[in-house]
């Protein structure tokens, strides 16, 4: 077994894991991908920490809290190339719908005054175990440098596969018109 | 009487009719100049600046500039394309464009020009402005989050529908589409059959209960980029 396979790491920040589902949707080509790479920190192999430096990091989701920022910076440190995958990473996505109201209003609605809320204490959670929310949801490239963006909700499996293969074979990512979509 | 004008776009000679604007002559000749606020049949507006070309070396909007004999037009140069790309990116960050659930996605001209330019993410920071939705009318809704202020609804309602339902109000980043009533669209004489509703290039002005009828893959810009209809039908007359 060759010991020099490039390593790839993935994470889902403020996302829904839909982009990871789309990655799995490459079907049997995942065997081809397994030939090309080893997975490092990723929900796919459940590694919680980086074990080595990685060639490629795939970022799903934007940053909605301090933990997202810490993970994203960790990825920037440990990966040569970072790729934003999906609309949440590239523009904030559904979580960014809260960006048009203040965080106070948002928390009030979610934990106190929302029509389906049952919360007799009337308090907003402030346990130190719960990561602190940021004022807004930020796309990944507004927090660290991102090298490539693959929009879509989620990006089609073909888009992810074509981009990964191009990256891993040191070729420029050239995707046909049909593979770059925002929905 | 049928005097024709000859001009060059990116080095290719095309014929035009006197009185035509550069964009009209280009369309007829099968040359696509990107545009958002221009729509055939409406008075030229020249607000989005996406159709900016160099006419005899001078930047001007192709939708408002009349053709002149011997005019030399530069259209697809690298610097113009970069400039247009930045305009598109600015339109995305200045509004709240959530393509993933927008009814217009796939048929949206703003999205389509972004696709055509291969934009994967804007280089400018998102503004996240607070904008209203007016869903008061039984058949029509205005979502100001998606409005790009092209004024196509304003001109269509005024000139084709003869109603003047819409107009601009406010200045600068406060500028928005207002309606011909004290506050709500429901109080205007806007109607579901108004041509103004078809004039909106984005999902800002929509007929209710018509969303998501075309499956993904069959929508206007799913397979072919915007402008390819012009490039494929035009002929160098």
């Amino acid at each position: 077994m060759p010991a020099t396979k490039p390593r790839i790491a993935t994470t889902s920040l403020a996302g829904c894991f839909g982009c990871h589902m789309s990655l799995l949707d490459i079907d049997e080509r995942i065997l081809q991908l397994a030939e090309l790479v080893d997975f490092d920190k990723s929900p796919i192999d459940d590694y919680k920490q980086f074990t080595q430096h990685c060639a490629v990091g795939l970022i799903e989701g934007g940053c909605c809290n301090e933990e997202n920022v810490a993970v994203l910076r960790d990825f920037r440190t440990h990966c040569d190339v970072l790729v934003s995958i999906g609309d949440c990473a590239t523009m904030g996505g559904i979580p960014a719908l809260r960006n048009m109201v203040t965080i106070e209003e948002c928390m009030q609605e979610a934990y106190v005054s929302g029509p389906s809320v049952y919360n007799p204490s009337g308090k907003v959670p402030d346990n130190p175990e719960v990561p602190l929310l940021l004022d807004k949801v930020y796309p990944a490239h507004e927090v660290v440098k991102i090298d490539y963006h693959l929009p879509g909700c989620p990006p089609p499996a073909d888009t992810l596969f074509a981009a990964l293969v191009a990256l891993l074979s040191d070729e420029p990512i050239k995707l046909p018109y049909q593979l770059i979509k925002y929905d | 009487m049928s005097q024709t004008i000859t001009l060059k776009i990116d080095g290719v000679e095309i014929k035009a009719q006197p009185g035509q604007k550069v964009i009209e002559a280009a369309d007829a000749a099968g040359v696509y100049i990107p545009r958002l606020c221009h729509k055939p049949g409406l008075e030229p507006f020249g607000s989005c600046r996406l159709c900016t070309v160099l006419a005899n070396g001078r930047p001007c909007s192709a939708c408002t500039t009349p053709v002149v004999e011997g005019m030399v037009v530069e259209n697809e140069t690298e610097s113009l394309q970069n400039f247009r790309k930045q305009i598109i990116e600015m339109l995305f960050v200045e509004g709240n464009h959530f393509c993933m659930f927008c009814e217009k996605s796939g048929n949206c001209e703003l999205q389509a020009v972004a696709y055509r330019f291969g934009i994967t993410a804007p280089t400018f920071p998102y503004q996240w402005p607070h904008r209203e939705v007016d869903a008061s009318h039984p058949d029509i809704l205005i979502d100001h989050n998606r409005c790009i202020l092209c004024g196509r609804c304003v001109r269509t309602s005024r000139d084709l529908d003869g109603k003047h339902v819409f107009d601009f109000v406010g200045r600068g980043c406060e500028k928005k589409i207002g309606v011909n009533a004290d506050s709500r669209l429901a109080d205007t004489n806007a109607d579901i059959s108004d041509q103004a509703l078809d004039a909106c290039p984005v999902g800002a002005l929509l007929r209710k209960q018509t969303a998501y009828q075309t499956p993904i893959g069959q929508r206007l810009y799913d397979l072919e980029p915007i402008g390819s209809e012009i490039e494929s039908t035009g002929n160098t007359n």
Side-chain angles (χ1 to χ4, degrees), chain A:
Chain A
M1 198 174 110
T4 52
K5 273 199 224 175
R7 298 184 77 78
I8 142 175
T10 76
T11 187
S12 180
L13 306 173
C16 70
F17 272 93
C19 298
H20 275 80
M21 292 296 139
S22 192
L23 181 61
L24 296 179
D25 203 26
I26 61 177
D27 299 327
E28 74 280 2
R29 283 174 293 180
I30 200 146
L31 299 174
Q32 208 180 323
L33 190 60
E35 295 273 305
L36 284 172
V37 297
D38 280 327
F39 280 91
D40 203 277
K41 178 178 160 77
S42 166
I44 288 175
D45 56 13
D46 209 22
Y47 281 24
K48 309 290 188 200
Q49 301 297 334
F50 278 99
T51 64
Q52 291 173 43
H53 195 79
C54 291
V56 180
L58 301 183
I59 309 295
E60 169 186 343
C63 290
C64 77
N65 63 33
E66 56 179 359
E67 192 216 2
N68 296 154
V69 174
V71 172
L72 183 54
R73 286 183 176 154
D74 198 29
F75 265 72
R76 185 66 274 180
T77 312
H78 286 92
C79 302
D80 290 335
V81 170
L82 280 193
V83 188
S84 271
I85 59 171
D87 286 342
C88 295
T90 57
M91 59 79 64
I94 300 293
L97 281 169
R98 79 160 159 98
N99 288 3
M100 281 77 82
V101 296
T102 64
I103 193 158
E104 291 80 10
E105 272 181 87
C106 178
M107 298 303 268
Q108 190 73 17
E109 177 84 12
Y111 289 102
V112 183
S113 62
S116 60
V117 172
Y118 175 74
N119 180 8
S121 79
K123 282 185 186 155
V124 170
D126 64 347
N127 192 309
E129 292 279 311
V130 181
L132 202 61
L133 286 185
L134 305 180
D135 63 332
K136 279 182 174 17
V137 177
Y138 292 88
H141 65 267
E142 290 186 14
V143 178
V144 300
K145 181 184 186 300
I146 297 289
D147 302 286
Y148 298 97
H149 302 266
L150 300 173
C153 191
D158 289 343
T159 307
L160 294 173
F161 188 71
L164 272 178
V165 169
L167 272 178
L168 295 167
S169 23
D170 270 337
E171 278 163 19
I173 301 184
K174 277 205 174 289
L175 296 171
Y177 175 82
Q178 291 83 353
L179 289 188
I180 291 289
K181 289 286 177 286
Y182 302 162
D183 59 4

